[in-house]
Amino acid sequence: MQGMRVTAITAMALGAALVLSGCGRSADGAAEGSSVAPAEEGKASGAVEIWTAGGHADNLEELTADWVEANPDVSIKITDVPWDQVITKAQTATAAGKGPDIIMTGSDQTATVIGMGAFDAVPDGVYDTDDFYPAAVDSVTGETDLYAMPWYVETRFLFYRADIAAELGLSAPTTWEETQAMSAAFASRPGGTFGFSLPKPTEQPAQVIVPFDAQAGGSMTDGDAWTIDTPEFVEALDYYGGYFQRGEAPMGDTDATFENGGTPMFISGPWMLDIYEEEIEKGTAPEGFTMDSVGYTVSPTGPGGNNDQYIGGGNLGVFSASDNKSAAWSLLSWMSEQEQQEAWYDLQGELPANIAAGDYAPIQDNPVTKTLTEQLQNTVATPNYPAWSQISDLISKYSEQVARGEITSADAAKEIQTQADEIGFGW
């Protein structure tokens, strides 16, 4: 199996004190801070410095070797930084007006970096947004313009214990109702403990509640304001909190795991398959747990008639203070092409943001990545606003109260909406 690498993307809260700029338009409608056009093919020159994150530097250097060869007057320097330092380093560089030419951000970090004025608007001709997953494009869109290029994407699906499901006469759930039925059956079976493990308040439950809202037919914003106090969001909170209220999801620490059958269902990404393979190979997995025990499927469909799931990944933007923007945009334009997107999958095992590259044979011949590309057709981005981390914290706070039965979902939605209105988008 082609390995899928773990991409731990953390939303960082910088607080309302940040000076937010560089996101609007001038009076004539042109994007403020618009970048120079990309260099012509083969004409890029000078040094291009790139900050990547999360262990991408070596493979990116290998990927870009062909571009450097085709542009003999250019050189590339790549530095990898820890995920949790991306925002701080971008903020420091912006304040100093000095930094790299290209900065990588996680998809849920990009709005914060746009908001601080660290990215130039994408000039015409760099890439065609129609070539990329819409949710990935959403993650690089500022208040009015594009400010980065989607590089790679990831999404999540539903894991379930296929062997236990078969014993109970159940197959992969396709709807919320079937998921609830499977959870109840898992929890109530002889020797059962829980049915569905969901993120608790310390684990950013918004990462599942936002997709649940979408699956219910809702949206977190209408583009002008937060739209949280809605029947759809209430339904999403009811769905999330119900598993805890019925005792089917663990609220606190537990010895129950997917491997020992205690929590036979959860939502996560394909990196979990690598973890299970390693446990089995090392002999640390519980007796009887094999890869045949692991079932996975696209997210079940909600009452809104869709199965949208969270999209994550990495984006690349040109630093507003870069002194070699033409070469930087030339490189990103080259990286957006299908051929390079496929090559990146071969090198790093990360799925292409370019839709056509998702048809690449090694991706479609692998049942895991084939399932992922199916799910990627139906995805929703983390709300791409600098204030999102604050809204996410509110969702964590009130979803816990819902899960504990201390407040109704309707009252929670009203409280979150009221405070979100005060916070705004953060641009």
Side-chain angles (χ1 to χ4, degrees), residues 35-406:
S35 182
V36 297
E40 294 181 15
E41 186 174 351
K43 300 295 185 181
S45 62
V48 177
E49 185 177 358
I50 306 171
W51 285 353
T52 59
H56 291 84
D58 290 344
N59 283 333
L60 181 56
E61 184 173 357
E62 183 173 346
L63 177 75
T64 56
D66 288 343
W67 183 78
V68 172
E69 183 177 353
N71 294 268
D73 294 327
V74 81
S75 64
I76 290 181
K77 177 184 177 182
I78 305 172
T79 302
D80 205 66
V81 301
W83 276 116
D84 60 3
Q85 294 182 23
V86 169
I87 299 296
T88 302
K89 288 181 70 68
Q91 184 184 15
T92 301
T94 302
K98 185 177 182 180
D101 299 291
I102 296 172
I103 299 176
M104 175 185 171
T105 57
S107 60
D108 61 353
Q109 296 173 323
T110 306
T112 300
V113 177
I114 294 170
M116 68 176 71
F119 280 157
D120 249 24
V122 180
D124 291 339
V126 173
Y127 66 93
D128 187 342
T129 57
D130 290 341
D131 292 341
F132 292 80
Y133 293 107
V137 174
D138 286 347
S139 75
V140 300
T141 304
E143 189 175 16
T144 56
D145 293 288
L146 295 174
Y147 284 88
M149 182 199 79
W151 183 16
Y152 66 89
V153 291
E154 62 183 21
T155 190
R156 301 168 185 183
F157 43 35
L158 182 72
F159 283 85
Y160 67 99
R161 280 292 298 263
D163 52 347
I164 299 175
E167 292 173 3
L168 296 172
L170 301 172
S171 56
T174 61
T175 65
W176 278 17
E177 291 78 13
E178 290 177 5
T179 308
Q180 289 171 320
M182 178 175 279
S183 174
F186 280 154
S188 63
R189 78 186 194 280
T193 309
F194 298 106
F196 199 174
S197 180
L198 288 163
K200 296 178 282 294
T202 57
E203 300 167 338
Q204 295 183 341
Q207 66 185 293
V208 296
I209 293 174
V210 169
F212 288 164
D213 179 52
Q215 291 164 19
S219 176
M220 297 298 294
T221 82
D222 61 7
D224 295 318
W226 296 105
T227 51
I228 297 170
D229 186 11
T230 64
E232 293 81 10
F233 189 79
V234 170
E235 194 162 17
L237 278 183
D238 279 340
Y239 182 65
Y240 169 83
Y243 288 103
F244 295 95
Q245 294 166 8
R246 294 188 298 272
E248 296 169 12
M251 177 63 75
D253 294 335
T254 176
D255 293 331
T257 67
F258 183 76
E259 296 95 314
N260 66 26
T263 52
M265 190 161 50
F266 67 99
I267 298 168
S268 191
W271 51 84
M272 295 304 303
L273 294 166
D274 291 340
I275 292 173
Y276 297 145
E277 283 187 343
E278 185 175 352
E279 289 178 354
I280 292 168
E281 290 173 2
K282 289 183 175 180
T284 58
E287 183 178 356
F289 181 79
T290 71
M291 291 307 293
D292 289 336
S293 305
V294 185
Y296 54 87
T297 184
V298 295
S299 293
T301 299
N306 73 80
N307 73 330
D308 284 345
Q309 186 49 263
Y310 169 86
I311 192 170
N315 301 322
L316 295 168
V318 171
F319 185 48
S320 56
S322 164
D323 58 7
N324 197 4
K325 294 177 182 179
S326 62
W329 284 123
S330 174
L331 173 58
L332 294 192
S333 182
W334 179 83
M335 289 176 64
S336 75
E337 297 170 358
Q338 180 178 344
E339 182 179 357
Q340 279 64 254
Q341 293 265 306
E342 293 172 352
W344 184 246
Y345 173 78
D346 289 335
L347 287 168
Q348 187 81 3
E350 291 172 337
L351 291 172
N354 182 296
I355 298 172
D359 291 330
Y360 187 39
I363 295 175
Q364 291 300 313
D365 291 345
N366 181 326
V368 177
T369 49
K370 182 178 181 179
T371 302
L372 286 169
T373 56
E374 181 182 349
Q375 182 65 72
L376 281 165
Q377 307 304 315
N378 299 288
T379 50
V380 59
T382 296
N384 195 41
Y385 302 100
W388 169 243
S389 61
Q390 298 175 67
I391 308 304
S392 178
D393 287 344
L394 290 174
I395 293 173
S396 294
K397 174 183 176 180
Y398 287 101
S399 65
E400 178 180 13
Q401 294 179 24
V402 170
R404 294 186 183 278
E406 299 169 354

